[in-house]
């Protein structure tokens, strides 16, 4: 059997899990659609059922507030009895689908501040402006939170959860009380490590008291603090976990990060952070505490998950976003359908970025996924077999075209892909060429291999002409022809040393010591990183005041911190005026600057590939033509291109 360890069962107290794959808690913001903004909805149930049907061993339900006064809207709550029926429905549905459930019991500390109507609880006074200081939590309130954990655990048992998780990570109140980097109290709950341990240990004991003997208790905890002076070390965490074990914790869910520093990046680590970055620390904690342990963080292939287990570094594996991207991840892996998995690429575009946006933008309802447009729309947007199979010409074999073709094939149509380059994958392959971003290339390669597996007809090195559409006369045409780089009208832009970003990332032979990259967007950065990797020092010129404007918070932090370590200099508010020999002349805040360059890379953006003639012939022949992604509007986000393609397939199948 492939992935023997990953798909072997495990018994913890009385709970039997069919495999070692755990979907850790992920806030979806879907509860905002419920009556009071904190309850279970049908969509949330369908989302969890899809993952249970897809073979997940344990579904953890997202952060769930245990205390009514500090329970924010848009997050689930278990702080009152009225939430029990909804949670029970969720449990019943997941159980009926063959899954098991865990709920993450949560007091959100500072993080609940997105809802200004609820109480923010922090260990000590925290000035947030000249006028306002968040008061430190009183002792009385600490006791009430301990009680709230106990009552919430009782409700969770009543609602039918198979196990419970105590959230003691990510800057929430229990972690904040435990960490010397966050807890500066001078009473009996602060100061020494012994004092700081008291609150989380009291919460654990309170939860345990409400649980049946045979039910396991998990604890999510960071392996150590980052960027917090006086924060928890790995040794502190090991010592605390030993006490937590005595207090009743069975399984450690090892995470990392806090929301008050750039270490927030480790909570939902983007592609820029190495895969499995918590694995070694988790293995050490496991060894020293003798506790069942599961690491989390960028473990997104079954091969890697199996390897961690084979190397005896963990007992279970958290695979969270992997299962957002593909609800059938486990079944596909277990059946050896590896090319068919839609791999999470760590872009954070649909999940984390949408989550943050959902807190402030009423138009963003819930999280989504770049690779899985049907996330949290599992029923309404399900792909169904078509009753009227169609021959569909897919023009452009980038990731959006590939996924459209795969979905068309899966639903009974006959797609044919035409790609003008000599391979499939488009911009995903280019993005994957930048150092540390190989997940993009891997996902594209797997999807392309799946095209072959599914027997989809592909024509490479083929630029579609109107005549070809006339000749083939398909039932529909998807134009996913992407975009082409813009070459700005700058004196010297035609010089030999000037190359386009795409050409560079495609692997063109280069030499020299210095380069100037014109354009400080993501592609410009990827080019600069690519050059740095080849030992070429790069200056990035950006006319705007800011760089990387298209990136979400976490990828931006990652890119900027990787920049600081590389021979790359960023010049904002800087306009390139001319390229003269090996010099780039630019204007920065009214002054002229001159930069030495053996190479100049144009990364100023893209425009849609010209497809008017193709659209016109479709119109003339009465063939429905659908423009998707960059071919419709450039430059665009990959998420939009893939989502466009998905909705086009739904429309074609109607
Ligand atoms: C949209 C989103 C919401 C999340 N919400 C939670 C949460 O409610 N509780 C939690 O402990 N971690 C949360 N996380 C972190 C995940 O549980 C997980 O630890 C993280 O995504 C890293 O694992 P992965 O690389 O397998 O995705 C969230 C992650 C995402 C993407
Ligand atoms: S949006 Fe990106 S990071 Fe998030 S689950 Fe999907 S592929 Fe992974």
């Amino acid at each position: 059997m492939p992935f023997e360890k990953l798909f072997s069962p495990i018994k913890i107290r009385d709970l039997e899990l069919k495999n070692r794959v755990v979907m850790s808690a992920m806030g979806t913001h879907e509860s905002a659609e419920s009556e009071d903004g904190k309850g279970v909805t049908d969509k949330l149930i369908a989302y969890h059922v899809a993952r249970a049907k897809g073979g997940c061993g344990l579904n953890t339900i997202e952060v769930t507030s245990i205390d009514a006064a500090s329970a924010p809207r848009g997050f689930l709550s278990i702080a009152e009895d009225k939430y029990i029926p909804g949670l029970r429905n969720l449990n019943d549905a997941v159980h009926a689908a063959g899954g098991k459930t865990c709920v993450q019991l949560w007091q959100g500390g500072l993080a609940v501040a997105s809802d200004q109507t609820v109480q923010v609880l922090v260990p000590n006074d925290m000035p947030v402006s000249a006028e306002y200081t968040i008061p430190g939590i009183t002792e009385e309130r600490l006791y009430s939170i301990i009680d709230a954990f106990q009552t919430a655990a009782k409700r969770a048992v009543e609602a039918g959860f198979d196990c419970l998780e105590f959230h003691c990570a990510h800057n929430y109140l229990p972690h904040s009380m435990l960490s010397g980097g966050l807890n500066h109290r001078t009473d009996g709950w602060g100061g020494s490590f012994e004092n700081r341990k008291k609150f989380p240990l009291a919460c654990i004991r309170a939860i345990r008291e409400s649980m049946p003997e045979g039910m396991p208790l998990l604890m999510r905890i960071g392996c150590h603090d980052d960027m917090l002076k006086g924060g928890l070390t790995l040794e502190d965490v090991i010592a605390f976990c030993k006490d937590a074990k005595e207090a009743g914790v069975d399984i450690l869910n090892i995470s990392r990060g806090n929301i008050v520093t750039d270490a927030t990046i480790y909570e939902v680590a983007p592609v820029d952070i190495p895969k499995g970055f918590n694995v070694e620390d988790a293995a050490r904690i496991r060894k020293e505490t003798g506790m069942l342990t599961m690491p989390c963080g960028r473990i997104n292939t079954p091969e890697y998950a199996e390897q961690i287990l084979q190397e005896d570094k963990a007992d279970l594996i958290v695979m969270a976003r992997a299962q957002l991207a593909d609800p059938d991840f486990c079944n596909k892996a277990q059946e050896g359908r590896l090319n068919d998995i839609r791999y999470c690429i760590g872009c954070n575009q649909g999940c984390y970025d949408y989550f943050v946006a959902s807190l402030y933008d009423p138009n963003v309802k819930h999280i989504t996924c770049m690779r899985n447009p049907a996330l949290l729309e599992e029923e309404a947007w399900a792909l169904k077999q078509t009753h009227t199979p169609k021959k569909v010409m897919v023009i452009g074999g980038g990731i959006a075209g590939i996924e459209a073709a795969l979905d068309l094939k899966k639903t009974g149509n006959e797609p044919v892909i035409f790609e003008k380059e000599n391979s499939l994958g488009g911009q995903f392959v280019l993005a994957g060429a930048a150092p540390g971003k190989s997940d993009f290339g891997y996902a594209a390669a797997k999807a392309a291999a799946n095209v072959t597996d599914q027997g989809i007809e592909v024509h490479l090195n083929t630029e579609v002409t109107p005549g070809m559409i006339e000749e083939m006369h398909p039932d529909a045409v998807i134009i996913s022809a992407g975009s082409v780089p813009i070459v700005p009208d700058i004196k010297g832009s035609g010089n030999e040393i000037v190359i386009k970003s795409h050409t560079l990332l495609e692997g063109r032979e280069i030499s020299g010591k210095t380069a100037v990259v014109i354009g400080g967007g993501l592609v410009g950065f990827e080019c600069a990183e690519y050059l740095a990797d080849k030992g070429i020092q790069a200056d990035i010129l950006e006319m705007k005041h800011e760089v990387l404007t298209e990136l979400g918070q976490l990828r931006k932090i990652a890119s900027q911190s990787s920049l600081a370590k590389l021979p790359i200099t960023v010049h904002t508010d800087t306009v390139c005026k001319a390229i003269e020999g090996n010099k780039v002349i630019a204007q920065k805040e009214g002054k002229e600057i001159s930069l030495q360059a053996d190479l100049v890379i144009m990364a100023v953006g893209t425009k849609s590939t010209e497809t008017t003639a193709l659209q016109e012939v479709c119109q003339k022949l009465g063939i429905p033509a659908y423009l998707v992604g960059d071919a419709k509007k450039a430059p665009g986000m990959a998420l939009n291109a893939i989502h466009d393609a998905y909705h086009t397939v739904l429309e074609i199948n109607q």
Side-chain angles (χ1 to χ4, degrees):
M1 181 176 80
F3 314 115
E4 201 174 329
K5 283 227 159 184
L6 189 61
F7 293 107
S8 64
I10 182 168
K11 186 165 181 198
I12 311 149
R13 294 196 187 226
D14 289 347
L15 175 65
E16 284 187 45
L17 298 179
K18 66 183 170 203
N19 62 45
R20 310 297 176 106
V21 181
V22 176
M23 184 167 89
S24 58
M26 281 179 283
T28 58
H29 204 255
E30 171 54 25
S31 59
E33 297 298 300
S34 69
E35 210 174 311
D36 74 345
K38 303 174 189 181
V40 171
T41 66
D42 290 346
K43 279 189 193 177
L44 190 71
I45 294 178
Y47 153 80
H48 277 289
V49 164
R51 272 93 202 146
K53 279 190 183 156
C56 180
L58 180 66
N59 286 39
T60 312
I61 312 308
E62 62 201 77
V63 282
T64 303
S65 300
I66 50 97
D67 168 62
S70 58
R73 221 187 122 73
F75 294 75
L76 282 177
S77 177
I78 193 167
E80 293 171 66
D81 289 348
K82 67 177 180 182
Y83 297 111
I84 296 174
L87 292 166
R88 192 181 292 122
N89 289 343
L90 193 161
N91 281 315
D92 289 348
V94 173
H95 291 151
K100 300 281 186 205
T101 55
C102 177
V103 62
Q104 189 175 56
L105 300 176
W106 177 66
Q107 199 301 314
L110 187 60
V112 305
S114 59
D115 181 343
Q116 295 190 350
T117 65
V118 301
Q119 196 180 19
V120 177
L121 300 175
V122 288
N124 22 259
D125 288 1
M126 192 175 165
V128 283
S129 68
E131 296 80 38
Y132 185 63
T133 293
I134 305 171
I137 186 168
T138 61
E139 184 161 31
E140 192 188 357
R141 194 76 175 98
L142 281 174
Y143 281 116
S144 79
I145 294 295
I146 296 167
D147 287 346
F149 268 109
Q150 180 164 20
T151 329
K154 215 159 129 199
R155 289 189 195 105
V157 173
E158 204 181 322
F161 285 101
D162 299 293
C163 52
L164 313 183
E165 181 170 81
F166 170 55
H167 204 326
C168 193
H170 302 172
N171 227 149
Y172 303 134
L173 188 63
H175 172 211
S176 301
M177 290 295 289
L178 179 65
S179 168
L182 298 161
N183 177 350
H184 308 297
R185 293 173 77 98
T186 50
D187 62 2
W189 301 92
S192 70
F193 188 39
E194 285 310 308
N195 282 353
R196 285 184 275 116
K197 282 193 291 189
K198 276 189 205 163
F199 176 73
L201 287 175
C203 295
I204 294 167
R205 287 190 200 101
I207 293 170
R208 215 349 125 199
E209 269 175 35
S210 295
M211 295 171 70
E213 191 54 35
M215 183 184 278
L217 176 59
L218 292 78
M219 175 170 74
R220 178 155 254 204
I221 187 156
C223 46
H224 54 75
D225 281 337
D226 297 90
M227 303 181 196
L228 287 175
K229 195 162 167 261
L232 296 167
T233 62
L234 180 59
E235 285 67 31
D236 292 337
V237 170
I238 291 168
F240 174 70
C241 289
K242 286 180 181 167
D243 291 346
K245 184 182 183 182
E246 260 177 43
V249 169
D250 302 294
I251 308 170
L252 298 173
N253 176 352
I254 302 297
S255 179
R256 198 164 143 190
N258 61 71
I259 57 169
V260 288
T261 71
D262 279 356
T264 189
I265 194 173
Y266 299 118
E267 290 185 22
V268 189
V271 59
D272 318 76
I273 304 290
K275 282 176 194 282
F277 60 98
N278 292 321
V279 169
E280 295 307 322
D281 286 337
R284 162 108 192 266
I285 295 169
R286 175 177 180 253
K287 192 163 167 235
E288 304 242 354
T289 61
M291 296 171 79
L292 294 172
T293 301
M294 50 193 197
C296 85
R298 301 248 308 111
I299 304 169
N300 60 354
T301 64
E303 290 91 337
Y304 183 39
E306 176 72 13
Q307 183 193 326
I308 296 166
L309 294 171
Q310 290 287 354
E311 289 172 355
D312 198 25
K313 290 181 175 162
D315 304 282
L316 299 119
I317 305 285
V318 169
M319 303 185 88
R321 285 169 294 173
Q323 294 182 86
L324 293 185
D326 194 334
D328 294 318
F329 180 92
C330 291
N331 287 344
K332 289 179 182 174
Q334 197 167 8
E335 291 160 17
R337 292 190 284 135
L338 302 182
N339 293 337
D340 198 15
I341 294 176
R342 291 199 176 173
Y343 291 91
C344 165
I345 49 166
C347 65
N348 279 2
Q349 256 182 43
C351 54
Y352 183 83
D353 293 349
Y354 267 59
F355 183 77
V356 174
S358 72
L359 299 176
Y360 304 99
D361 180 350
N363 295 317
V364 180
K365 299 287 182 217
H366 54 65
I367 62 166
T368 184
C369 170
M370 179 201 277
R371 304 220 60 203
N372 176 13
L375 179 64
L376 281 158
E377 301 290 351
E378 276 76 10
E379 286 182 352
W381 296 354
L383 288 173
K384 297 194 182 103
Q385 282 302 112
T386 180
H387 299 297
T388 50
K390 296 186 181 71
K391 183 157 193 157
V392 184
M393 230 173 155
V394 179
I395 303 175
I399 196 73
I402 294 178
E403 296 203 349
L406 287 167
D407 289 340
L408 284 165
K409 182 78 180 181
K410 193 159 134 193
T411 49
N413 299 285
E414 193 194 332
V416 184
I417 302 177
F418 294 85
E419 166 56 47
K420 70 177 181 351
E421 302 297 337
N422 61 6
S423 64
L424 298 179
Q427 294 199 24
F428 257 44
V429 175
L430 294 183
K437 314 288 187 299
S438 61
D439 278 21
F440 285 78
Y442 183 81
K446 287 291 187 183
N450 198 21
V451 166
T452 309
D453 292 352
Q454 304 305 324
I456 295 172
E457 192 178 321
V458 178
H459 299 263
L460 296 175
N461 302 307
T462 308
E463 188 146 6
V464 173
T465 60
M468 287 164 71
I469 297 179
E470 268 184 279
E471 198 179 315
M472 186 172 163
H473 211 293
D475 301 306
V477 173
I478 294 179
I479 303 177
S480 49
S483 54
V484 290
I486 294 171
V487 178
D489 188 16
I490 295 171
K491 194 174 144 215
S493 60
N495 291 0
E496 213 175 285
I497 62 164
V498 182
I499 59 175
K500 292 177 194 157
S501 54
H502 287 40
T503 315
L504 176 77
L505 296 172
E506 271 161 16
R508 157 92 162 261
E509 280 278 303
I510 47 167
S511 60
K513 288 199 168 68
T514 55
V516 170
V517 178
I518 302 176
L522 179 59
V523 175
F525 266 68
E526 284 166 353
C527 289
E529 286 182 317
Y530 181 89
L531 292 163
D533 198 47
K534 303 214 169 321
I536 299 174
Q537 184 268 321
D539 285 271
I540 298 177
L541 308 188
E542 170 55 52
M543 62 195 289
K544 288 192 230 130
H545 191 56
E546 238 190 291
V547 288
L548 292 169
T549 45
E550 70 269 58
L551 283 190
Q553 180 202 9
L554 300 188
R555 286 218 58 206
K556 204 181 237 180
I557 294 173
S559 297
Q560 280 169 341
S561 89
S562 101
L563 259 193
K565 297 177 207 132
L566 296 171
I568 298 172
T569 310
V570 176
H571 307 262
T572 51
D573 302 304
T574 304
V575 182
C576 178
K577 291 291 178 191
I579 299 150
E580 293 171 1
N582 282 99
K583 287 213 172 340
V584 173
I585 314 297
Q587 192 97 28
K588 183 174 170 70
E589 290 155 6
K591 287 197 199 113
E592 191 172 286
I593 58 169
S594 162
L595 297 159
Q596 183 66 29
D598 299 322
L599 282 171
V600 176
I601 314 298
M602 286 294 176
V604 291
T606 56
K607 59 180 182 187
S608 298
T609 301
E610 179 51 54
T611 58
T612 316
L614 303 179
Q615 294 171 55
E616 281 171 0
V617 75
C618 289
Q619 199 177 14
K620 186 181 92 185
L621 299 170
I623 300 171
Y626 304 88
L627 276 171
V628 305
D630 273 16
K632 184 164 70 180
K633 187 169 178 287
M637 311 268 279
L639 180 145
N640 294 336
I642 292 172
H643 285 219
D644 267 2
Y646 187 86
H647 288 288
T648 301
V649 172
L650 289 179
E651 204 176 323
I652 289 174
N653 281 346
Q654 259 175 13

